[in-house]
Amino acid sequence: MTGWLTDQVAIVTGASAGIGRAVVDRYIAEGARGVVAVDRDAAGLEALSAAHGDRLRVVVGDVREWATHEAAVTAARTAYGRLDAAVGNAGVFDFHRPLAKYTPESLVSAMDELFAINVRGYLLLALAAREALAESRGSLVYTASVASQEAGGGGVLYVSSKHAVLGVIRRLAMEFAPDIRVNGVGPGGTLTQLRGTESLGQAQRSLGADREASAARIAPTNPLRLAQEPEDHAGLYVLLASRRDSRAMTGQVLYSDGGVGVRPIAAF
Ligand code: NAD
């Protein structure tokens, strides 16, 4: 049986861990010819490389830098001869920090860092991958978030950055049509080690450090009572990269959040 992505070539950013890693594993399981995995965590990429051999190339770099994306597109073309999908996924969190907890200085530095990763990194990927994706009539798939439409999905910087991702998806879907489709996946609370910013001294703090406590915190917030795993979302990235199965979709976000948007707002 052939996979959903037989012979296709993808780039995935933030590929060392969490949702990005689950997407890489799944793309390869679905028959991808090769994946270029991008991350600043070299050790994580090495482990991924050991698991996938020739079907994986790695680029160690920071998604805030143009050179990282340029190297990823070059690696896809050189190693595998084409590019069909580029997945923008690397991101950082703000641990629900409210505006009142910032000083003017800490707001500026944290916003510069968080938006540079969560938003600028996505635009740089699109700019670097545009030509190769237009040639293959491929697609961009971005990790949005439940915080792309819910105010309670993070602090003000994270929520506004993920709302901005929605704008990136919708605007680029318009700009890049008819050659490239642009869509997103919006996960809800997921058990990963999502980290914070250096500017706020939270680079080593991680969302899921205590798995059980995180699961207990996340599950009651959605109607399906799920604390999700990265693998719960991976199939949606496959679907959105598949020309056969999502040919007519662009400018959309598939929310994978246990139904946060349909929770009851009153007892009845
Ligand atoms: P994660 O920390 O497991 O994975 C993120 C990866 O991105 C890490 O490997 C990290 O090294 C990499 N990364 C971070 N900053 C980078 C940079 N500047 N340059 C290169 N690589 C960088 O966390 P995750 O939860 O899998 O996060 C993936 C995406 O999912 C993020 O965009 C996040 O906002 C989004 N998301 C997460 C959740 C959740 O609850 N975990 C929910 C919704 C959306």
Tab-separated table of all heavy atoms in Angstrom, residues 11 13 20 32 40 102 131-132 143 172 184-185 202 213 242 244 250:
chain	number	residue	atom	x	y	z
A	11	ILE	N	10.167	20.172	4.399
A	11	ILE	CA	10.980	20.818	5.438
A	11	ILE	C	10.084	20.929	6.667
A	11	ILE	O	8.903	21.277	6.536
A	11	ILE	CB	11.401	22.239	5.004
A	11	ILE	CG1	12.397	22.187	3.842
A	11	ILE	CG2	11.986	23.028	6.174
A	11	ILE	CD1	12.668	23.555	3.209
A	13	THR	N	10.291	22.805	10.536
A	13	THR	CA	11.066	23.549	11.546
A	13	THR	C	10.590	23.174	12.947
A	13	THR	O	9.444	22.778	13.139
A	13	THR	CB	10.966	25.080	11.351
A	13	THR	OG1	9.679	25.537	11.797
A	13	THR	CG2	11.190	25.494	9.906
A	20	GLY	N	6.714	18.906	16.133
A	20	GLY	CA	7.567	18.856	14.933
A	20	GLY	C	8.139	17.477	14.708
A	20	GLY	O	8.141	16.951	13.590
A	32	ALA	N	7.344	9.624	2.504
A	32	ALA	CA	8.119	10.766	1.995
A	32	ALA	C	9.512	10.300	1.540
A	32	ALA	O	10.129	9.465	2.195
A	32	ALA	CB	8.245	11.829	3.066
A	40	ARG	N	17.223	24.457	16.453
A	40	ARG	CA	18.462	24.965	17.059
A	40	ARG	C	19.043	23.968	18.040
A	40	ARG	O	20.158	24.158	18.531
A	40	ARG	CB	18.214	26.316	17.720
A	40	ARG	CG	17.192	26.316	18.840
A	40	ARG	CD	17.009	27.720	19.388
A	40	ARG	NE	15.903	27.794	20.327
A	40	ARG	CZ	15.465	28.920	20.876
A	40	ARG	NH1	16.028	30.066	20.561
A	40	ARG	NH2	14.451	28.908	21.714
A	102	TYR	N	4.718	42.990	32.985
A	102	TYR	CA	5.896	43.454	32.238
A	102	TYR	C	6.295	44.846	32.670
A	102	TYR	O	5.444	45.660	33.046
A	102	TYR	CB	5.592	43.517	30.729
A	102	TYR	CG	5.466	42.159	30.060
A	102	TYR	CD1	4.213	41.567	29.908
A	102	TYR	CD2	6.592	41.499	29.575
A	102	TYR	CE1	4.090	40.332	29.277
A	102	TYR	CE2	6.462	40.262	28.949
A	102	TYR	CZ	5.212	39.686	28.800
A	102	TYR	OH	5.102	38.473	28.186
A	131	GLU	N	9.733	29.732	-4.173
A	131	GLU	CA	10.014	29.312	-5.556
A	131	GLU	C	9.920	27.800	-5.718
A	131	GLU	O	9.303	27.302	-6.661
A	131	GLU	CB	11.416	29.767	-5.954
A	131	GLU	CG	11.390	31.131	-6.624
A	131	GLU	CD	12.784	31.554	-7.067
A	131	GLU	OE1	13.600	30.671	-7.470
A	131	GLU	OE2	13.051	32.756	-6.971
A	132	ALA	N	10.556	27.096	-4.793
A	132	ALA	CA	10.575	25.628	-4.890
A	132	ALA	C	9.155	25.070	-4.757
A	132	ALA	O	8.779	24.106	-5.432
A	132	ALA	CB	11.480	25.034	-3.815
A	143	THR	N	2.028	25.591	12.161
A	143	THR	CA	1.435	25.297	13.458
A	143	THR	C	0.870	26.594	14.016
A	143	THR	O	1.606	27.502	14.396
A	143	THR	CB	2.477	24.709	14.424
A	143	THR	OG1	3.000	23.504	13.852
A	143	THR	CG2	1.829	24.382	15.759
A	172	LEU	N	-1.015	34.856	3.053
A	172	LEU	CA	-0.160	34.138	2.102
A	172	LEU	C	-0.982	33.202	1.217
A	172	LEU	O	-0.636	32.984	0.056
A	172	LEU	CB	0.946	33.359	2.823
A	172	LEU	CG	2.003	34.211	3.524
A	172	LEU	CD1	3.116	33.324	4.075
A	172	LEU	CD2	2.602	35.284	2.603
A	184	GLY	N	-3.075	25.721	8.124
A	184	GLY	CA	-2.496	25.547	9.449
A	184	GLY	C	-3.197	24.474	10.253
A	184	GLY	O	-4.326	24.078	9.951
A	185	VAL	N	-2.485	24.022	11.296
A	185	VAL	CA	-3.073	23.122	12.285
A	185	VAL	C	-3.055	23.887	13.610
A	185	VAL	O	-2.050	24.521	13.944
A	185	VAL	CB	-2.253	21.822	12.404
A	185	VAL	CG1	-2.803	20.937	13.525
A	185	VAL	CG2	-2.236	21.070	11.076
A	202	GLN	N	13.101	32.405	30.771
A	202	GLN	CA	12.266	31.190	30.781
A	202	GLN	C	12.673	30.178	29.710
A	202	GLN	O	11.882	29.321	29.339
A	202	GLN	CB	10.798	31.587	30.582
A	202	GLN	CG	10.256	32.427	31.729
A	202	GLN	CD	8.813	32.837	31.537
A	202	GLN	OE1	8.368	33.032	30.414
A	202	GLN	NE2	8.073	32.977	32.627
A	213	ALA	N	0.996	16.609	36.088
A	213	ALA	CA	0.378	17.883	36.479
A	213	ALA	C	-0.150	18.605	35.239
A	213	ALA	O	-1.244	19.183	35.256
A	213	ALA	CB	1.398	18.750	37.214
A	242	SER	N	-1.138	16.834	1.533
A	242	SER	CA	-1.503	15.889	0.477
A	242	SER	C	-2.281	16.573	-0.650
A	242	SER	O	-3.381	17.069	-0.433
A	242	SER	CB	-2.356	14.763	1.081
A	242	SER	OG	-3.033	14.069	0.049
A	244	ARG	N	-3.555	15.069	-3.107
A	244	ARG	CA	-4.688	14.209	-3.442
A	244	ARG	C	-5.888	14.497	-2.530
A	244	ARG	O	-7.027	14.525	-2.968
A	244	ARG	CB	-4.254	12.746	-3.285
A	244	ARG	CG	-5.306	11.721	-3.688
A	244	ARG	CD	-4.798	10.310	-3.399
A	244	ARG	NE	-4.448	10.141	-1.990
A	244	ARG	CZ	-3.678	9.157	-1.520
A	244	ARG	NH1	-3.152	8.278	-2.337
A	244	ARG	NH2	-3.420	9.071	-0.243
A	250	THR	N	-7.271	25.988	1.065
A	250	THR	CA	-6.219	26.968	1.339
A	250	THR	C	-6.763	28.064	2.248
A	250	THR	O	-7.958	28.348	2.241
A	250	THR	CB	-5.597	27.525	0.034
A	250	THR	OG1	-4.343	28.128	0.361
A	250	THR	CG2	-6.500	28.534	-0.668
